[in-house]
Amino acid sequence: MEIRWTEELPESIIQRAMRSSLGELCAEAAEARDSAHGSLVTYSPKVFIPLTKLCRNVCHYCTFAETPRRGTAAYLSREEIIGIARQGVVAGCHEALFTLGDKPEARYSAAIDALRALGHASTISYLADMCGAVITETGLLPHVNAGVLTSADFERLRPVSASMGLMLETVSPRLCEPGQVHHGSPDKDPVRRLETIRLAGVHKVPFTTGILIGIGETRLERIQSLVAIRNLHRQYGHIQEVIIQNFRAKADTRSADAEEPDLEEMLWTVAVTRMVLGSGMSIQAPPNLSPGTYAQLVRAGLNDWGGVSPVTVDHVNPEAPWPSLDDLRRATALAGKVLTERLTVYPAYVEQRNDWIDAGLHQAVLRASDGVGLARTGKWSPGLAVSRQVPNHLAEAPVGADLKAMVSRANAGTRLDAGEIARLFAARGPEANYLFEAADDLRREKAGDVVRYVVNRNINYTNICSYRCRFCAFSKGKTHEALRGAAYDLDLGEIERRVREAWDRGATEVCMQGGIHPAYTGATYLDICRAVKRAVPEMHIHAFSPLEIQQGAATLKISVEEFLTELKQAGLDSLPGTAAEILDDNVRAIICPDKLKTQEWLDIVETAHHVGLHTTSTIMFGHVDGPLSWALHLLAIRDLQDETGGFTEFVPLPFVPMEAPLYLHGKARKGPTLREALLMHAVARLVLNPLIPNIQASWVKMGVEGLKLCLDAGANDAGGTLMNESISRAAGTEHGQELPPVDMRKAIMALGRMPAQRDTLYRPVSSERRQASVDAAPLAAVVQTPPGGPRSLASMARATERLSMSRGNDK
Ligand code: SF4
């Protein structure tokens, strides 16, 4: 392979690099970095797994490589490797960094014998086996540094390694000459190393590389090395980060007395790397090799600290301990940045995982990542209990002026655009805390300190559904049989009984939704409304998602408007704004491909508002979506509200993953992180201001402690007591099926806020209703009428025929 750099060495970069002052270079580099990476400086919490320290090379500065020693195993055993990885899991790591010598079997018979005993013919074969074991047994994502690799090696390793790396070190062939550091090390031939980096591009492997400075190269040669990396990245787009590693002299090496590069050399090289590789490239320097200089390095344009281990030493530089994460966080904050955890594979490659990451690794990657492809932090998922403690972020890191300006505009009721809203969702650390406080202030101003709740009962009349929403663990259909619970289809008598019991227990509302039963028609929904009013005429019927409205209208062959009008006459009072999921068709195509499209949902809700039926609005987030789709969703809700004024509230519904098919099949994240869940409430408060004054938190998804956090981050409403929550419980939430009014009031008062029972439309309820809710008797056991009961059998045949005709037309 021909090394291409000299003819393409940009004269302007050389001129600026060689002639500008260090201060000018650093300022230019930092500005470029900020334009792409904002306030974040990342690192990867990792364990370091030195699979073997045998190596066929003899680099003069290296203490990692060892020669075979009697009594010392040539390779770490599987048990040792899994043991290290498990320690990493306990310590919150996401990455298993396999670093090893280059092809030791090419030099040592001890390596050949050891591999044979392990059942492998090559180091690469054993490495691939161990990477697979780490993923399967711990979920950590392997990153492999295995030296110079062939095409066959990449094919073997890609399915078990989320990313890989090889330090280019230098393109200078001079350093392979006698007396130079790479003399006698065949794998340090720059042509071979560049060829490995090129092959990584060919095989679509997110790749880490970098240069080693202070090993005898000149500044010009450093630039040449960086340009060579840039050229390969331009061709393949696979270089995810570039490491600037400074040579450290080690005792007992041939370079023991060589001079180490000083801080100015490091800063110059970091800044010039930014100029050569551009604003978007991730540029890192290992913090353990430059203690005490972190803030200067950040100011020189880096945006990443690489892997830092809370468990293992840096086996390549064992004399250089990792900094404590608190020190690193504080120093990063002093430079105006927020230290943030990432995965071994960078967000852009997580987002484009179908191209860049082997399908067999998607599950592990998604389970470890948040909404932008950075690392999930904390163990919380929707449906699990949350600790009251919010992560403590250092006050030193500043809040961006752009973010403050957006908050001011939102406070004034200005419509932010999608890019601005996505920027709000990117807030972390002190910026996230700033948004929580700003949203809380706005909540106080617009909605006061009263926290309202409605005493209601969920009645899910059937869990039989002909749709195949991939997030849904509730429905029973051909693809969902294995999920929790048996199929049921309530008869009207049981529905009426539940309504009467709910009234006796202080309820003012029944909230009714169900699966899209193939035998249901619009007449079924009308019958259900009449049954509720027959049982308790005063009961508010809050029922039927826009999907059910569409189905009901289609089966009766009438318009949505006509059907809604009929439902209203039969007693329907308002609609839940569910089935919205994410109002972004790109996401809907993945999570609910056969459901309503975004515009259909909006049209049905708009029609409901026009016929005088209020609706709620919801978002179900944290699966395969991200900040931009959240922003589009919020804007769609805001714009419709601006037109109709028909939404009573906005309800963020964090995706509960545990039993959801999409998650079980490895195709979704573990729901939003706690930061993302709280931000959804805070950002909604700001973005929907002043059009939607009520932001509701879901105790079903967040738990009581999570509910309290949301009420401190912009939410003002605690939703319903529910009595029979079953949809989220089917998905795996641990938060029970009812939050009794007494407990609801207790949770609200613990925040120093005033609880108040409301009706569905946010009006106060009578003292009789309040007292009835407090004096409520225990719930009687429910009867889950099995499918095929009298009502179903009577209508099944003709309705199925009608539905299939109408759905066939729809599609
Ligand atoms: Fe059916 Fe609703 Fe579940 Fe979709 S979300 S499968 S429509 S019950």
Side-chain angles (χ1 to χ4, degrees):
M1 180 200 173
E2 181 197 1
I3 301 176
R4 295 163 62 231
W5 68 75
T6 44
E7 77 279 15
E8 295 190 22
L9 205 53
E11 195 57 33
S12 60
I13 288 182
I14 298 175
Q15 299 286 331
R16 276 188 291 146
M18 298 303 188
R19 295 197 189 141
S20 303
S21 72
L22 183 59
E24 289 167 344
L25 286 177
C26 290
E28 184 181 338
E31 189 181 337
R33 180 268 323 276
D34 289 349
S35 71
H37 298 276
S39 62
L40 303 188
V41 168
T42 49
Y43 78 103
S44 173
K46 71 174 182 192
V47 288
F48 200 130
I49 301 177
L51 187 79
T52 176
K53 292 189 169 184
L54 302 184
C55 181
R56 72 163 168 172
N57 299 315
V58 290
C59 303
H60 296 188
Y61 45 75
C62 177
T63 55
F64 176 78
E66 294 173 353
T67 51
R69 274 181 291 179
R70 193 178 295 277
T72 302
Y75 291 82
L76 290 184
S77 68
R78 180 190 173 101
E79 290 69 32
E80 289 170 313
I81 290 165
I82 298 300
I84 295 169
R86 289 216 168 104
Q87 286 180 53
V89 171
V90 171
C93 297
H94 312 293
E95 172 185 345
L97 167 66
F98 282 87
T99 288
L100 50 145
D102 255 290
K103 292 187 184 49
E105 64 270 33
R107 182 174 174 196
Y108 298 116
S109 60
I112 297 171
D113 293 343
L115 285 168
R116 191 174 300 129
L118 291 164
H120 289 273
S122 71
T123 299
I124 295 296
S125 168
Y126 183 51
L127 172 63
D129 196 15
M130 291 304 98
C131 286
V134 163
I135 299 166
T136 309
E137 297 202 20
T138 71
L140 290 191
L141 295 169
H143 172 91
V144 163
N145 280 352
V148 166
L149 299 175
T150 64
S151 235
D153 295 335
F154 277 112
E155 279 167 17
R156 185 82 181 81
L157 291 170
R158 190 178 187 272
V160 288
S161 188
S163 56
M164 300 188 213
L166 174 76
M167 290 290 283
L168 173 59
E169 299 197 6
T170 179
V171 288
S172 171
R174 220 172 31 80
L175 301 187
C176 294
E177 292 171 0
Q180 298 289 336
V181 291
H182 288 156
H183 183 61
S185 299
D187 296 320
K188 293 299 168 88
D189 175 355
V191 173
R192 300 195 69 204
R193 294 180 96 71
L194 283 167
E195 175 61 4
T196 294
I197 299 170
R198 189 188 74 81
L199 286 174
V202 170
H203 288 276
K204 294 209 132 334
V205 173
F207 207 71
T208 296
T209 187
I211 61 173
L212 183 55
I213 74 166
I215 54 173
E217 84 292 352
T218 66
R219 280 186 168 187
L220 188 61
E221 285 169 335
R222 275 181 225 159
I223 297 177
Q224 289 170 335
S225 301
L226 294 168
V227 170
I229 292 170
R230 187 190 68 166
N231 289 347
L232 286 171
H233 182 57
R234 283 185 175 175
Q235 197 172 353
Y236 298 101
H238 65 307
I239 305 297
Q240 58 168 4
E241 59 181 341
V242 173
I243 303 173
I244 308 305
Q245 184 171 340
N246 44 328
F247 158 75
R248 296 288 301 265
K250 296 174 175 54
D252 303 326
T253 65
R254 284 199 239 173
S255 302
D257 297 326
E259 203 177 326
E260 295 179 346
D262 62 17
L263 178 60
E264 185 174 333
E265 280 305 308
M266 269 304 277
L267 298 179
W268 182 89
T269 310
V270 168
V272 170
T273 303
R274 177 63 67 197
M275 288 164 56
V276 175
L277 273 304
S279 56
M281 180 56 68
S282 187
I283 295 171
Q284 94 174 228
N288 59 323
L289 301 185
S290 300
T293 66
Y294 305 146
Q296 288 121 301
L297 285 166
V298 173
R299 291 189 192 110
L302 69 67
N303 64 290
D304 188 80
W305 291 121
V308 177
S309 181
V311 175
T312 51
V313 299
D314 175 357
H315 286 275
V316 175
N317 301 283
E319 75 288 353
W322 301 113
S324 80
L325 288 177
D326 276 348
D327 286 349
L328 198 58
R329 188 173 289 114
R330 192 170 295 111
T332 305
L334 281 173
K337 301 293 172 189
V338 179
L339 188 67
T340 303
E341 293 181 27
R342 65 165 170 83
L343 305 176
T344 177
V345 57
Y346 274 73
Y349 300 93
V350 173
E351 189 184 344
Q352 296 171 40
R353 56 191 170 278
N354 290 337
D355 292 332
W356 288 98
I357 303 173
D358 187 89
L361 295 170
H362 287 191
Q363 181 169 45
V365 169
L366 284 171
R367 287 187 175 186
S369 71
D370 70 9
V372 294
L374 288 168
R376 261 190 107 75
T377 50
K379 298 203 182 312
W380 183 79
S381 271
L384 300 179
V386 59
S387 110
R388 184 81 179 89
Q389 190 109 30
V390 184
N392 182 24
H393 292 289
L394 299 167
E396 293 95 324
V399 174
D402 62 330
L403 188 115
K404 286 183 176 172
M406 288 171 208
V407 168
S408 298
R409 291 173 54 234
N411 276 332
T414 307
R415 183 187 189 276
L416 302 182
D417 67 29
E420 290 173 316
I421 298 169
R423 165 71 179 98
L424 297 181
F425 280 119
R428 288 171 192 262
E431 287 196 338
N433 288 343
Y434 177 83
L435 286 186
F436 300 150
E437 283 171 24
D440 196 41
D441 290 345
L442 187 59
R443 181 274 307 161
R444 194 172 298 111
E445 182 191 326
K446 300 292 179 185
D449 275 337
V450 174
V451 177
R452 295 185 173 80
Y453 61 94
V454 62
V455 176
N456 64 351
R457 180 170 205 166
N458 271 12
I459 302 178
N460 305 121
Y461 28 77
T462 184
N463 61 353
I464 297 168
C465 187
S466 57
Y467 280 75
R468 293 181 301 279
C469 303
R470 292 174 181 157
F471 57 81
C472 179
F474 169 74
S475 72
K476 302 290 154 223
K478 280 197 204 115
T479 56
H480 295 81
E481 260 98 30
L483 301 174
R484 287 181 183 191
Y488 64 83
D489 178 18
L490 300 189
D491 65 32
L492 294 179
E494 171 63 7
I495 292 176
E496 288 181 43
R497 187 197 68 74
R498 291 189 193 186
V499 172
R500 279 193 294 272
E501 185 185 40
W503 184 262
D504 291 344
R505 300 181 84 240
T508 54
E509 167 194 309
V510 283
C511 175
M512 301 197 296
Q513 300 171 84
I516 307 300
H517 194 307
Y520 278 22
T521 71
T524 317
Y525 300 119
L526 291 164
D527 283 348
I528 289 173
C529 286
R530 292 186 191 109
V532 172
K533 290 296 183 184
R534 197 161 51 235
V536 180
E538 302 91 333
M539 188 68 88
H540 181 109
I541 303 179
H542 181 65
F544 313 132
S545 74
L547 182 62
E548 289 166 301
I549 299 299
Q550 185 193 53
Q551 185 217 16
T555 51
L556 295 181
K557 293 188 168 56
I558 58 177
S559 70
V560 164
E561 183 171 355
E562 287 168 320
F563 183 49
L564 284 165
T565 305
E566 279 195 36
L567 285 170
K568 200 174 165 196
Q569 285 162 0
L572 181 66
D573 295 296
S574 63
L575 280 77
T578 46
E581 327 307 358
I582 298 282
L583 295 174
D584 175 349
D585 286 335
N586 292 326
V587 177
R588 299 180 79 78
I590 300 169
I591 66 171
C592 51
D594 57 351
K595 213 169 189 170
L596 297 167
K597 298 281 178 283
T598 294
Q599 195 55 51
E600 291 173 314
W601 188 92
L602 290 168
D603 288 345
I604 291 169
V605 172
E606 182 180 0
T607 307
H609 294 172
H610 281 145
V611 303
L613 290 165
H614 281 95
T615 74
T616 64
S617 56
T618 64
I619 182 170
M620 199 273 296
F621 64 106
H623 30 77
V624 299
D625 46 356
L628 192 58
S629 43
W630 301 339
L632 294 173
H633 185 106
L634 286 174
L635 286 175
I637 297 291
R638 181 187 166 100
D639 292 344
L640 184 53
Q641 177 74 343
D642 204 12
E643 199 182 311
T644 66
F647 289 123
T648 50
E649 70 218 30
F650 179 72
V651 194
L653 300 172
F655 168 60
V656 178
M658 294 80 167
E659 301 289 336
L662 199 66
Y663 176 74
L664 295 175
H665 294 149
K667 302 247 187 305
R669 303 193 304 276
K670 292 163 91 171
T673 63
L674 182 57
R675 177 188 65 87
E676 291 166 339
L678 296 179
L679 270 180
M680 183 59 77
H681 295 78
V683 172
R685 164 64 63 194
L686 293 161
V687 169
L688 300 176
N689 180 51
L691 302 175
I692 299 184
N694 298 310
I695 307 298
Q696 183 181 112
S698 164
W699 61 264
V700 175
K701 319 279 185 183
M702 301 294 302
V704 172
E705 290 308 316
L707 168 73
K708 292 181 190 170
L709 292 176
C710 294
L711 289 170
D712 276 345
N716 67 302
D717 190 79
T721 55
L722 301 186
M723 295 188 201
N724 288 123
E725 201 297 313
S726 55
I727 293 175
S728 295
R729 279 192 307 134
T733 180
E734 296 176 349
H735 301 311
Q737 61 172 338
E738 179 179 27
L739 184 58
V742 172
D743 295 345
M744 178 77 91
R745 298 177 73 86
K746 217 184 281 173
I748 294 165
M749 286 189 289
L751 294 172
R753 310 261 279 275
M754 181 76 76
Q757 186 179 342
R758 64 167 172 87
D759 72 5
T760 312
L761 301 178
Y762 285 77
R763 298 168 301 204
V765 300
S766 68
S767 54
E768 179 275 329
R769 288 290 78 202
R770 280 202 303 277
Q771 198 55 48
S773 79
V774 172
D775 296 340
L779 272 176
V782 293
V783 176
Q784 302 290 60
T785 320
R791 179 161 56 82
S792 300
L793 288 174
S795 56
M796 181 80 76
R798 67 175 189 279
T800 303
E801 186 187 345
R802 247 195 330 254
L803 178 65
S804 63
M805 280 170 60
S806 65
R807 287 196 61 203
N809 291 338
D810 287 345
K811 307 280 170 196

